[in-house]
Amino acid sequence: MAPAFFAINPKLVDGTPFDPLTTTTTTTNDHPSPIVIWHLVLPSFPSLSLSFSDPTTTTTTTVIPLESDQVTTALDALYPQLSTRCSAGPSLDRLNTCLANHETFSLFLATEVFSTSTSSSTSPLQEPSGVRITKIVGALTLVTLNLLMKSCAHIEDVVVDGSCRGRGLGKGLMRRALDEAVHTHSCVMVDLTSNPNRIEARTLYQSLGFELRDTGVFRYTVPQYRK
Ligand SMILES: CC(C)(COP(=O)(O)OP(=O)(O)OC[C@H]1O[C@@H](n2cnc3c(N)ncnc32)[C@H](O)[C@@H]1OP(=O)(O)O)[C@@H](O)C(=O)NCCC(=O)NCCS
């Protein structure tokens, strides 16, 4: 059966490219699996189609196929950690609908990676056979807006599994999203909101250069969704 999703363009949490083809990892208590930040895309994502159809392309895209269960089960565990009002992650239909809007919607995943062998693939689309994503432990959503005078972005739903906090995953997800917003989408500003009780999140955002603004956020909530 064809995989539902692909995880592409792996980077370590510090932002350096991760090459699963040359990295062999043995996981022990002293050497845990590396944490890698991926961009989750549908098989129809443009750069994948390009790599599939044009073997002469010079750009190499590293991809790992992911089954739908692996993604939805992980998000079911992560999203309730964002809010007590959230009892599960998105449905598969919703996830597919959002990912189909790849020009404005990006989902980044922090994952543990286990690599058992190397491959000498010369294809522009590298699917390293011995590399597995063992666990999805963090997620972040980036939404970009193309306005008449500028492009800007919103970061939403930043979450790292309770068992993996304090190891740089949140910062890695944020840096990856900022890089995508600024360099891929030419955004000139990136907004987010964060409840004052979320000390860890607010410290994280400020450490990356986000500044608290006092313009106020106005929100219209559809009456039946008001608390
Ligand atoms: C916010 C969250 C994503 C941070 O993830 P994380 O992987 O633990 O964060 P990192 O390890 O990358 O830490 C990055 C920075 O965050 C801040 N930070 C992290 N944990 C902190 C803590 N317990 N107290 C204060 N600051 C903290 C620090 O500035 C840290 O940088 P430093 O290590 O250089 O000091 C995570 O705590 C989380 O998922 N919380 C629950 C969901 C949530 O609140 N999401 C945000 C919604 S707005």
Side-chain angles (χ1 to χ4, degrees):
M1 199 171 62
F5 305 111
F6 283 114
I8 68 166
N9 295 341
K11 299 237 171 95
L12 292 166
V13 291
D14 66 3
T16 53
F18 173 77
D19 184 356
L21 296 179
T22 57
T23 308
T24 303
T25 311
T26 310
T27 305
T28 64
N29 286 344
D30 293 338
H31 298 283
S33 305
I35 303 284
V36 179
I37 313 288
W38 304 82
H39 189 171
L40 185 77
V41 299
L42 295 176
S44 55
F45 192 70
S47 71
L48 296 181
S49 320
L50 187 70
S51 303
F52 277 124
S53 60
D54 181 5
T56 62
T57 182
T58 50
T59 312
T60 299
T61 307
T62 300
V63 304
I64 297 218
L66 287 174
E67 300 304 330
S68 53
D69 280 6
Q70 193 177 357
V71 177
T72 53
T73 305
L75 296 183
D76 279 344
L78 283 172
Y79 276 61
Q81 299 182 51
L82 266 171
S83 160
T84 49
R85 277 177 285 137
C86 205
S87 58
S91 68
L92 185 57
D93 276 355
R94 180 85 185 164
L95 190 54
N96 274 300
T97 303
C98 288
L99 290 176
N101 290 324
H102 56 80
E103 283 172 13
T104 55
F105 181 97
S106 307
L107 180 63
F108 297 98
L109 297 179
T111 77
E112 287 179 346
V113 167
F114 186 67
S115 170
T116 53
S117 65
T118 56
S119 150
S120 57
S121 166
T122 52
S123 155
L125 194 73
Q126 297 179 326
E127 288 188 56
S129 57
V131 176
R132 278 186 296 126
I133 285 175
T134 47
K135 201 174 171 200
I136 296 167
V137 288
L140 178 154
T141 296
L142 175 78
V143 179
T144 53
L145 291 171
N146 289 316
L147 305 175
L148 286 176
M149 302 300 285
K150 62 181 181 291
S151 293
C152 55
H154 278 263
I155 286 176
E156 296 280 344
D157 300 337
V158 185
V159 61
V160 170
D161 186 73
S163 65
C164 294
R165 291 191 190 152
R167 290 170 51 192
L169 281 65
K171 201 172 263 184
L173 283 160
M174 287 291 297
R175 283 200 180 119
R176 183 77 195 259
L178 288 174
D179 186 53
E180 180 85 2
V182 174
H183 297 115
T184 305
H185 296 281
S186 306
C187 294
V188 298
M189 56 182 71
V190 180
D191 287 335
L192 53 78
T193 60
S194 185
N195 185 305
N197 301 329
R198 296 185 188 271
I199 306 295
E200 296 88 347
R202 290 165 77 98
T203 312
L204 164 62
Y205 303 145
Q206 285 175 322
S207 77
L208 290 167
F210 282 80
E211 295 168 317
L212 188 61
R213 288 169 59 81
D214 61 4
T215 50
V217 174
F218 285 81
R219 175 177 293 164
Y220 176 82
T221 305
V222 175
Q224 65 264 39
Y225 292 98
R226 288 179 191 164
K227 282 188 274 181

